[in-house]
Amino acid sequence: MSARVLVGVKRVIDYAVKIRVKPDHTGVVTDGVKHSMNPFCEIAVEEAVKLKEKKLVKEVVAVSCGPQQVQETIRTALAMGADRGIHVEVSGKDYETLGPLQVSKILAALAKKEQADLIILGKQAIDDDCNQTGQMTAALLDWPQGTFASEVNIEADKLKVVREVDGGLETIKIKLPAVVTADLRLNTPRYATLPNIMKAKKKKIANVKPADLGVDVSSRLEVLKVDEPPQRQGGVKVETVNDLVRKLKEAGRI
Amino acid sequence: MFPACRYSLQARKCIRALKVVQAEHVAPQVYSTRCSSSTVPRITTHYTVYPRDKDPRWEGVEMERFADEADVVIVGGGPAGLSAAIRLKQLANQHEKELRVCVVEKASQIGAHTLSGACLEATALNELIPDWKERGAPLNTPVTEDKFSILTEKYRIPVPILPGLPMNNHGNYLVRLGNFVRWLGEQAEELGVELYPGYAAAEVLFHEDGSVKGIATNDVGIGKDGSPKDVFERGMELHAKVTLFGEGCHGHLAKQLYKQFNLRENCEPQTYAIGLKELWVIDEKKWRPGRAEHSVGWPLNRNTYGGSFLYHLNEGEPLVALGFVVGLDYTNPYLSPFREFQRWKHHPSLMSTLEGGNRIAYGARALNEGGFQSIPKLTFPGGMLIGCSPHTHTHNKSAFFTFLLTIVYSALFSFQSFVSFHSPAPICKELTVASQRAPSCLSRQFLDRISFGVGLDSAQLKPAKDCAPIEYPKPDGKISFDLLSSVALSGTNHEHDQPPHLTLKDDSVPVAQNLAVYDGPEQRFCPAGVYEYVPLETGDGMRLQINAQNCVHCKTCDIKDPSQNINWVVPEGSGGPAYNGM
């Protein structure tokens, strides 16, 4: 099969790090904070590499949007088995306001440029929890989508995707080209071992600007304020229903 | 005494029990419980204790490792390792020679496992990178004010610092060492050093003649029970003409090298302290950038070595770095360095600074305390030890002999100095690394402790029955905090499905000895809550629970365990704390 897979990877603050709001309340502190590849993106990369190992796809291209540091994330994808990388340079204010809509436009443009047959993304990023990029990318390309995938199989020119939905598991068959977003149980990502990191240094990462792809990354959203969630107050136990009604009235709830 | 290893496990248990009875006169009921012990739940599964070549689950698993060659391999991307790498590349460029220098670092990014006070003397940096200021080295806070005090429970007695004494900090910089190390990493990369954060050196490799051949990085994908997972992959071997070990205080490979090459045969045993540190954003009105404060005294008693530091940093926000150091030669097993630290913050002189402030970081690390006499032999065929790994601050020597009670908390790093050493590499005939130590010495109650060679820290604990438990105040959640919320702030984490890296030589010793005789001191000296004695599911007796995921890689347990049963080995790379500019 001569299929080419595009995998999107996002560099996010590591899940074990305690987040701190910036003193000016415009966002969270990121300087010097430990970052790593979004866990769902790791699963996406693993799936793409597995497909290549099964000889169902020919080439895996890892893509990331952001400043210089995202190159480390692309390198990790390369070390896991991706063939080459594309770094879409977005930095400064543009990067702070970069959201799913702009990324989808970038991925759609890249998919056309690279003639990709399949796009695999993580289902959501752990920093914004949007769960929108995969769906928007499919819509922009007018491609079918298999989201929350826990199993992916290529059968001839169709994709059989088992989706994890609220009611259980749903199996769908979609035509290629398509967009798939990876859920937790799709696979267990392999480690990026040192020999592979060393080999990855020789793999190519192309630099591209959004303007080169004809994409405008300006945001239609303005973040007014970022705050920590309010401190959780202790609850109060009440003895009788009358007490409960009284307390609710006192709190102005009823 | 007769070599216990030649005897069966049962016999060894009885011999050990007998030793304890003879030495400690343990009450009869404790003795009998130990001898009639039911099966001890399995704690340790690491292959360093249970080799894989004898393990049926590992039959047929491909164990060959990919190997690569470099000229110099450096273990540890801290100040020593990175300075050595930078200097080597500078020399290579000067002599127009090719030199492949590789640095392996267990933290996921350079600086993430670095923790220090810190007060940096720039002399060495001036020699290493003279244009550090233009290159943006994060030395932003020159010391403008130096304060030293002796604390009592309610009062603060100021002690004047005279110029010329080693504790005088004027001309030095207060730094966030993690940020400095990160900057050093950038300088190293610019010079062409290959940096590999996220990969831990797990094994030293030897040539047939016994000289050091290089290192092997950690295997990945071993399950908690010690069996191979689907994603199992062997580590990689890095062979080098010279291997430098800069693991910091009490490195786990350095421990092996001491034994292998008898590096400690002509020196005193090393003694250590544990340093705990927090970063606070305080009320701007209380902020005095450039002020360095140190104290001794309360809450420690006359017999416990230690003291505090509080540095006002000048980095934009009103940030202070504060911390507490406790000598690990303390004798009371009920002492908790973490709780002494939290308690110290409630001193009236501290409260005024911290009130209204916010804690944003926490961490801990062991540090070297022994002086010149504790420095081992540093070189061996194929490599050498650098930085804190072998030893510590030369200023300590003079501090031993001063009779003023003073404290200057060390910057925890030192550059190794040597004129030349024998290396098989024709390229590096002469290596010079700028050497300097930041002034340091922790307060020593000099009048009480004139003796050297007190012995190993682990041997200093008295049995619990001979000591009084210490009543620590409850944390108030504003100035002082509980252990678990502190550990969360360190950002530490490990892949949970891997063998615990706090390995025990004998799983039965913790309950039989540590708990029985010393009331489980590891519950108290671990600054991360790794060790917990919990009741057995069957109801009778206790077992040790090791929460390996919490570990902040401080190495205190390996140092202070009275049974010397705990052997800290390196977990899968990338695990551990996520310090940011500590």
Side-chain angles (χ1 to χ4, degrees):
Chain A
M1 229 215 188
S2 59
R4 178 174 290 135
V5 184
L6 211 62
V7 181
V9 293
K10 187 177 182 188
R11 180 176 180 263
V12 297
I13 295 181
D14 187 85
Y15 73 92
V17 170
K18 253 209 150 36
I19 307 291
R20 187 163 76 100
V21 174
K22 280 204 266 208
D24 60 6
H25 292 272
T26 56
V28 298
V29 177
T30 53
D31 196 31
V33 173
K34 178 178 174 185
H35 283 68
S36 37
M37 191 190 291
N38 182 38
F40 295 106
C41 298
E42 284 183 348
I43 298 174
V45 174
E46 175 65 24
E47 196 58 24
V49 175
K50 273 199 162 74
L51 289 173
K52 191 176 94 155
E53 284 171 348
K54 288 192 207 149
K55 301 233 193 320
L56 294 169
V57 302
K58 203 183 74 171
E59 196 188 25
V60 176
V61 183
V63 182
S64 193
C65 306
Q68 182 65 17
Q69 292 97 310
V70 307
Q71 294 218 355
E72 289 163 24
T73 314
I74 302 176
R75 287 255 176 254
T76 307
L78 294 173
M80 286 171 72
D83 297 293
R84 58 186 170 90
I86 300 176
H87 170 200
V88 181
E89 292 171 10
V90 182
S91 49
K93 203 83 193 33
D94 282 339
Y95 182 57
E96 282 171 31
T97 57
L98 192 70
L101 183 56
Q102 299 100 312
V103 175
S104 319
K105 289 181 182 169
I106 291 171
L107 289 176
L110 275 173
K112 290 199 191 112
K113 183 162 174 270
E114 299 287 332
Q115 295 177 311
D117 304 284
L118 180 59
I119 300 180
I120 310 183
L121 306 173
K123 72 169 179 180
Q124 68 197 60
I126 60 169
D127 52 5
D128 54 25
D129 277 337
C130 280
N131 187 354
Q132 296 165 2
T133 309
Q135 292 87 333
M136 283 181 179
T137 310
L140 286 169
L141 288 166
D142 199 23
W143 285 6
Q145 54 185 265
T147 52
F148 314 108
S150 66
E151 221 182 292
V152 173
N153 284 307
I154 298 188
E155 292 176 0
D157 63 336
K158 293 216 178 51
L159 216 57
K160 191 166 109 179
V161 180
V162 178
R163 306 178 58 230
E164 293 204 23
V165 296
D166 289 344
L169 296 172
E170 180 192 61
T171 309
I172 59 169
K173 233 186 205 159
I174 52 178
K175 282 197 216 160
L176 285 167
V179 175
V180 169
T181 70
D183 206 328
L184 199 62
R185 274 165 277 268
L186 182 56
N187 58 49
T188 306
R190 67 196 63 191
Y191 288 84
T193 54
L194 187 55
N196 291 328
I197 284 276
M198 288 179 169
K199 285 187 203 145
K201 291 207 166 169
K202 303 196 183 90
K203 293 185 183 173
K204 254 189 69 114
I205 299 181
N207 286 330
V208 167
K209 289 198 176 50
D212 300 340
L213 300 167
V215 174
D216 171 22
V217 288
S218 55
S219 177
R220 289 160 175 73
L221 303 173
E222 187 193 337
V223 171
L224 296 175
K225 195 164 186 248
V226 177
D227 268 324
E228 281 196 16
Q231 287 281 357
R232 195 152 181 236
Q233 301 295 333
V236 177
K237 271 191 172 162
V238 291
E239 297 291 313
T240 68
V241 175
N242 287 332
D243 280 341
L244 176 62
V245 173
R246 185 172 52 82
K247 281 223 183 284
L248 286 171
K249 280 200 176 141
E250 275 171 25
R253 299 290 188 208
I254 51 172
Chain B
M1 189 119 187
F2 35 84
C5 59
R6 299 234 185 97
Y7 295 75
S8 70
L9 182 63
Q10 268 311 103
R12 262 185 278 151
K13 278 190 186 155
C14 283
I15 290 167
R16 211 189 322 266
L18 188 63
K19 270 196 208 171
V20 172
V21 168
Q22 286 172 345
E24 308 288 353
H25 313 292
V26 172
Q29 57 264 40
V30 180
Y31 176 47
S32 62
T33 314
R34 207 177 312 117
C35 272
S36 64
S37 63
S38 45
T39 47
V40 175
R42 172 83 169 262
I43 301 172
T44 303
T45 53
H46 202 274
Y47 62 80
T48 49
V49 182
Y50 299 99
R52 289 172 289 192
D53 51 4
K54 301 192 176 67
D55 191 332
R57 300 170 300 182
W58 287 87
E59 233 182 273
V61 175
E62 179 58 64
M63 295 298 269
E64 205 174 311
R65 282 187 286 223
F66 179 73
D68 201 0
E69 300 271 337
D71 293 298
V72 183
V73 164
I74 302 177
V75 175
L82 292 174
S83 307
I86 290 171
R87 192 71 191 116
L88 284 168
K89 279 303 246 186
Q90 286 173 340
L91 287 168
N93 292 342
Q94 208 182 311
H95 293 118
E96 284 171 17
K97 293 260 184 359
E98 288 286 319
L99 196 70
R100 186 175 183 206
V101 180
C102 295
V103 176
V104 287
E105 163 58 45
K106 61 174 165 58
S108 58
Q109 52 194 53
I110 301 285
H113 285 187
T114 300
L115 181 136
S116 178
C119 192
L120 190 143
E121 199 187 311
T123 320
L125 184 58
N126 289 334
E127 279 188 52
L128 185 69
I129 303 175
D131 57 343
W132 55 260
K133 210 180 176 105
E134 289 82 54
R135 287 174 173 272
L139 270 59
N140 303 316
T141 315
V143 175
T144 54
E145 226 188 312
D146 229 333
K147 287 173 78 184
F148 185 80
S149 9
I150 302 172
L151 298 182
T152 63
E153 196 176 339
K154 293 198 181 61
Y155 302 104
R156 197 193 125 246
I157 305 164
V159 174
I161 301 176
L162 308 169
L165 287 175
M167 54 297 300
N168 186 339
N169 272 312
H170 228 74
N172 298 335
Y173 293 88
L174 303 173
V175 294
R176 293 174 70 173
L177 195 64
N179 289 346
F180 180 69
V181 167
R182 196 158 32 123
W183 175 82
L184 272 183
E186 288 162 17
Q187 306 309 305
E189 272 194 313
E190 256 181 57
L191 285 166
V193 174
E194 288 174 52
L195 290 181
Y196 296 113
Y199 298 97
E203 209 184 304
V204 184
L205 304 169
F206 297 95
H207 287 292
E208 279 192 12
D209 64 0
S211 62
V212 169
K213 183 170 158 184
I215 54 102
T217 59
N218 59 282
D219 293 347
V220 293
I222 305 178
K224 211 177 163 95
D225 62 358
S227 61
K229 295 195 281 191
D230 285 335
V231 283
F232 170 74
E233 264 192 73
R234 275 291 256 169
M236 171 178 165
E237 294 190 10
L238 276 173
H239 301 164
K241 303 191 179 86
V242 178
T243 311
L244 305 182
F245 293 84
E247 297 169 286
C249 169
H250 205 76
H252 79 111
L253 293 181
K255 233 175 99 166
Q256 286 177 34
L257 293 167
Y258 292 153
K259 279 208 204 101
Q260 183 82 13
F261 294 107
N262 254 327
L263 300 173
R264 298 206 76 98
E265 65 184 334
N266 292 319
C267 69
E268 293 292 323
Q270 183 62 268
T271 63
Y272 303 90
I274 177 177
L276 302 110
K277 176 181 175 181
E278 287 173 357
L279 283 178
W280 281 65
V281 176
I282 57 170
D283 187 342
E284 213 172 329
K285 295 193 271 304
K286 323 244 173 101
W287 182 43
R288 305 275 178 274
R291 176 188 285 183
E293 294 180 34
H294 298 99
S295 80
V296 293
W298 189 84
L300 299 176
N301 62 26
R302 292 180 80 243
N303 300 314
T304 311
Y305 178 91
S308 77
F309 66 90
L310 193 150
Y311 299 147
H312 293 246
L313 295 160
N314 190 5
E315 308 220 343
E317 284 184 288
L319 204 62
V320 296
L322 60 138
F324 204 75
V325 180
V326 179
L328 285 178
D329 52 357
Y330 67 82
T331 54
N332 186 345
Y334 292 107
L335 193 142
S336 161
F338 172 77
R339 301 196 79 172
E340 297 288 350
F341 174 36
Q342 298 302 318
R343 162 154 88 156
W344 162 73
K345 284 187 283 172
H346 280 282
H347 191 271
S349 67
L350 257 294
M351 294 275 279
S352 53
T353 309
L354 296 180
E355 236 148 18
N358 229 356
R359 181 178 75 153
I360 62 167
Y362 164 82
R365 183 72 170 90
L367 45 141
N368 295 319
E369 280 307 320
F372 203 71
Q373 69 276 12
S374 298
I375 302 175
K377 182 157 180 286
L378 301 170
T379 58
F380 42 84
M384 65 180 297
L385 304 172
I386 58 175
C388 272
S389 192
H391 62 95
T392 176
H393 344 281
T394 48
H395 278 69
N396 243 357
K397 188 167 78 154
S398 54
F400 277 170
F401 301 100
T402 62
F403 54 87
L404 268 185
L405 292 173
T406 59
I407 174 173
V408 172
Y409 185 71
S410 76
L412 264 193
F413 74 95
S414 56
F415 296 107
Q416 181 55 24
S417 133
F418 49 92
V419 176
S420 71
F421 76 106
H422 303 293
S423 141
I427 297 170
C428 315
K429 247 186 17 182
E430 201 197 303
L431 289 177
T432 343
V433 176
S435 151
Q436 188 69 42
R437 273 143 239 274
S440 76
C441 71
L442 265 215
S443 146
R444 293 226 154 229
Q445 320 294 49
F446 301 112
L447 303 176
D448 294 336
R449 297 187 42 113
I450 306 177
S451 61
F452 308 129
V454 195
L456 285 176
D457 287 339
S458 53
Q460 302 306 315
L461 278 184
K462 296 204 182 107
K465 63 177 175 53
D466 294 338
C467 301
I470 304 177
E471 275 288 316
Y472 287 107
K474 264 185 77 147
D476 72 348
K478 293 202 193 56
I479 304 279
S480 52
F481 301 90
D482 65 298
L483 186 60
L484 287 182
S485 66
S486 307
V487 176
L489 265 189
S490 70
T492 194
N493 196 24
H494 296 84
E495 161 61 54
H496 80 284
D497 192 14
Q498 65 173 306
H501 63 280
L502 299 321
T503 66
L504 305 173
K505 294 188 202 130
D506 182 340
D507 280 352
S508 64
V509 165
V511 172
Q513 184 122 345
N514 289 24
L515 186 60
V517 180
Y518 303 100
D519 198 45
E522 56 269 62
Q523 302 172 95
R524 299 186 192 93
F525 60 56
C526 174
V530 169
Y531 301 98
E532 260 188 290
Y533 281 97
V534 296
L536 280 169
E537 283 78 12
T538 52
D540 55 341
M542 306 285 268
R543 65 175 179 88
L544 176 67
Q545 180 170 285
I546 295 186
N547 306 313
Q549 275 186 279
N550 290 5
C551 182
V552 291
H553 298 205
C554 76
K555 317 292 173 64
T556 301
C557 55
D558 195 304
I559 294 165
K560 190 57 175 169
D561 176 21
S563 324
Q564 284 295 280
N565 189 38
I566 300 174
N567 189 34
W568 190 97
V569 299
V570 77
E572 272 180 18
S574 284
Y579 296 143
N580 182 8
M582 281 291 260

